[in-house]
Structure formats: structure tokens, C-alpha cells
Amino acid sequence: MKVVVAHNRYSSAQPSGENSVVDSDMAQLAEAGVEVVPFIKSSDDIGSLSLVGKAALPISPIYARGAQRELAALLDAERPDVLHLHNPYPFLSPAVIRTAHKRGVPVIQTVHNFRQVCISGLYFRDGHACHDCRGKAFGLPGVKHACYRGSRAQSAIMATSLAANRGTWRRLDRYIALTGNIADHLRDFGIGESQISIKPNSIPDPGEHDERGSGFVFVGRLSAEKGVELLLDAWRRHGDGDLGTLTIIGDGPLKEPVAAAATERGDIDYLGSVPHDQVNRRVRAAAALLMTSVWDEVLPTVVIEALANARPVLATNMGGPPHMIGDAGIVAEPTVDDLAAALPRMRDAAPGLVDAARRRYLTTFSTDVVMKQLLDIYADVASRAKAR
């Protein structure tokens, strides 16, 4: 099996779990004996473009002519069984689907966000969930609100790309939905059931352990959509120390109120950004992970890490996390009242959910399970393409 992996890497200045997922997937595929041919562009390259290249960049999400020429040459030379697309913006564009199809190569995309419909890809703006562009032929609300990089001009280009490529997206051979929530998004977009496979991401097994955790841990960007303000408000409903210690890891625009809360209370420990190996250690040291997002979070890796480390999760009922945790946690409404009520329930239930969390990882998110699913999808799509 030979697979071309196409991805536009986000800027290194913009933290992206998606870049890490793509790198991990390629490494795991190579270990499984798949011949991986990368077709990777990086947003970091924008600064080194020629004047002509920079002039063409604003319309690249629509077609990206240079990328199509490069990809066509690569496909002609390599003759892969499948093209696996991740993020196409801005250097690749959805036109890579048509370029591959012209050469008889089927295309799979892992859907990491909602950008088939939403200009920002998040279904979130101005501090709240937003679905104003859903069902519209052109995302005018997203242009009005400057949802793409805070620019109405760039938002207009992205809205035009989404409208122009709507038919292209619907011809894609197979979508990999990371959760049932993403599958619902695709169905709402008009994608047929036969074009959707549900397969999560995975992480390597950190191994068994017998540590007893205590308290709670929150890991994530300190921004509005992650719900850290919601968490702090719910935490304040309880006396200092009643719930144990809340450890908060991360950085972002809401760093100051988080640091202030840690100063005010003795049961909040704010660590800022820490290396990944320490994140893993902190998750294992807690009794449970808190995932308090107020947007349709897709598939946060930290939830998988918690389950792998035998730690249950208290999550809001937004996006993918409720699909991820199964019987290994508690789901709450994204309100202060409901989250405040759920926190002591999670404190009391956590010790009894350790085995369920570890079992959830082994049966759903382990590398062996997920890689088999991906290889089966490749084989099915490739065989269908050859039969046409």
C-alpha cells in the first residue's frame, strides 16, 4: 500500500494538535509497512514567498494552481493507492481532490474541524457557539463577522472557496470522522452515509500504573472556547479545598484571570505551559481530567491521554468529548450550575472509574485498534476505486 499524505501545516507560532496528529499518523503508518509519501506545505513558508507568490496567496484557498502542478507531478511519479488529505488551507485548497481524481487516485480526508461550512472551522465566535453559516450557500455571516483571521477580506476569500468547492467536497471518496459529532456535521453538509467512516486518533500506550490520583486537572489553551472561565466560576461555588486541588496547565489570552484565581484560592494551582512529558505526569497524578469546552471540541488528545492513564473525564456536552469518554466519566451542561453540581459527583465517582477509563483507551484509542481501522479504510477505498 502506498499513500500520499497531503497536509498544510499550521504556523509553528500557532499551537496545533493537528500537526502532531499528522506526524504521528505518518510514523505509525510507516511502522505498519505502508509506504508514505508526504506532500506537506507549511504556513511558515509565507514569509519566504516571492512577490508573485504573495500576490497569489489570497486566492490560493480557492484553487492553489502551483500546488496542483506539484501534486500532479508527484502522483504521476509515485502512482499511490490513496491520497490522504488533512488540512488543505491555504496552500493546497480542496482542488487537490480534483487533481487526484483526474489521475484515478481516490481521496480520503480526516476531518479535524468544521471548515466545510464554517469559515473559522470552529462553529464559535465572540465567546459563544455559532452556526450562522450552516445551511447557507455562501457564508455571508462569517464575512460580516470577519471570522477568518479577523479580516473581512480574507473571510470573503474563504467563503468563496467554501462555496466554489462545495461540489468538490461532495465528490470526495471517504471522510474520516473523528467522532459521531463530526459524522453528524458531515451528514448535515450533505455527505452520504457510504462516504463516512468513524475513526478516532490514537496515542502510544503509556503503560499500566498503580498510582492513586487526587484532585482535578485542566489542560488546554486558556481561551474563551475552552471554558476556563466557566470552570473557575463553577469551582468558586465550593469552599476552598472542598474539591481537592485544581491544577490548571496552559497559556493564552485568559492567563491573567487564571493566575488571579490561583492567587485568591489555596486550592487552585496554575502551572502555565509545561513540557508534554510533565503534562502526562500531571494528568496521571490527578483523579480526573476536566474538559469544560463551550464549543464543539473535535477530538482533544488530552482526553485520550487521560483515558490511557486510567483517568476518567468530566466533560461538557459539547462536540466530541461526550462521544469519547463513554462510561469512563460524567457529562455536564456547559453552565455554571450544572458544572458546579457535577464536580463533587466526579470527585466521588473518580476512584471507581479508573478501570473503565483504561478499558476505554485499550478498546477504542490504542494504536493497534486505530491503525487497523485506518488500514481497512485504505484497503476498502482503494479496492472500490480499482473496481470503477
Side-chain angles (χ1 to χ4, degrees), residues 124 126-128 221-230 253-254 292-295:
F124 187 89
D126 299 333
H128 61 84
R221 178 169 165 75
L222 304 184
S223 53
E225 71 274 9
K226 294 292 187 177
V228 67
E229 291 174 303
L230 169 67
L254 297 179
T292 56
S293 295
V294 294
W295 74 291

Side-chain angles (χ1 to χ4, degrees), residues 22-332:
V22 174
D23 291 342
S24 177
D25 273 2
M26 289 195 293
Q28 292 174 26
L29 284 168
E31 290 178 5
V34 175
E35 184 176 352
V36 178
V37 181
F39 184 65
I40 308 294
K41 301 294 182 181
S42 174
S43 294
D44 286 334
D45 296 336
I46 291 175
S48 62
L49 292 175
S50 66
L51 289 177
V52 173
K54 288 180 179 177
L57 185 60
I59 62 170
S60 63
I62 300 174
Y63 185 70
R65 187 179 303 277
Q68 306 320 311
R69 287 196 298 266
E70 289 181 47
L71 179 61
L74 179 68
L75 296 177
D76 288 341
E78 297 290 345
R79 298 185 178 277
D81 299 287
V82 171
L83 172 71
H84 189 162
L85 174 64
H86 289 270
N87 172 43
Y89 298 111
F91 281 127
L92 301 182
S93 102
V96 297
I97 299 167
R98 300 198 299 273
T99 298
H101 281 174
K102 286 178 182 177
R103 283 151 184 82
V105 179
V107 183
I108 294 166
Q109 190 205 18
T110 296
V111 183
H112 297 274
N113 54 44
F114 305 99
R115 193 163 274 151
Q116 285 82 12
V117 175
C118 176
I119 290 173
S120 74
L122 300 179
Y123 280 153
F124 187 89
R125 67 169 176 83
D126 299 333
H128 61 84
C130 174
H131 300 96
D132 288 355
C133 292
R134 181 182 285 173
K136 290 181 170 58
F138 185 82
L140 185 59
V143 177
K144 289 180 177 179
H145 294 293
C147 289
Y148 189 66
R149 298 184 176 178
S151 164
R152 286 185 175 179
Q154 292 190 57
S155 296
I157 293 293
M158 184 58 71
T160 301
S161 175
L162 299 186
N165 287 295
R166 187 177 296 268
T168 300
W169 282 122
R170 288 175 175 165
R171 288 197 296 270
L172 190 136
D173 298 88
R174 189 70 56 85
Y175 287 94
I176 294 178
L178 296 174
T179 67
N181 186 61
I182 290 290
D184 289 341
H185 153 73
L186 292 170
R187 295 183 191 105
D188 186 64
F189 180 57
I191 303 303
E193 201 67 39
S194 64
Q195 292 173 270
I196 302 171
S197 294
I198 299 177
K199 179 207 74 70
N201 297 325
S202 66
I203 64 165
D205 190 347
E208 302 279 353
H209 67 89
D210 58 3
E211 295 181 32
R212 293 175 60 87
S214 63
F216 296 94
V217 63
F218 172 97
V219 181
R221 178 169 165 75
L222 304 184
S223 53
E225 71 274 9
K226 294 292 187 177
V228 67
E229 291 174 303
L230 169 67
L231 170 58
L232 291 176
D233 287 344
W235 193 264
R236 292 186 179 106
R237 294 283 182 90
H238 301 276
D240 198 327
D242 289 352
L243 298 171
T245 299
L246 168 61
T247 301
I248 299 178
I249 298 172
D251 200 352
L254 297 179
K255 174 181 178 178
E256 289 188 8
V258 171
T263 300
E264 294 166 4
R265 293 181 59 123
D267 60 354
I268 299 178
D269 187 11
Y270 174 49
L271 302 184
S273 296
V274 302
H276 183 263
D277 61 335
Q278 292 185 33
V279 172
N280 198 58
R281 180 169 60 82
R282 291 287 181 170
V283 169
R284 183 174 288 197
L289 174 77
L290 301 178
M291 177 58 56
T292 56
S293 295
V294 294
W295 74 291
D296 288 331
E297 190 98 39
V298 179
L299 192 95
T301 300
V302 69
V303 171
I304 305 176
E305 292 174 335
L307 298 174
N309 281 291
R311 293 296 176 254
V313 180
L314 167 56
T316 54
N317 63 351
M318 301 292 291
H323 296 260
M324 299 173 69
I325 64 177
D327 62 350
I330 293 174
V331 176

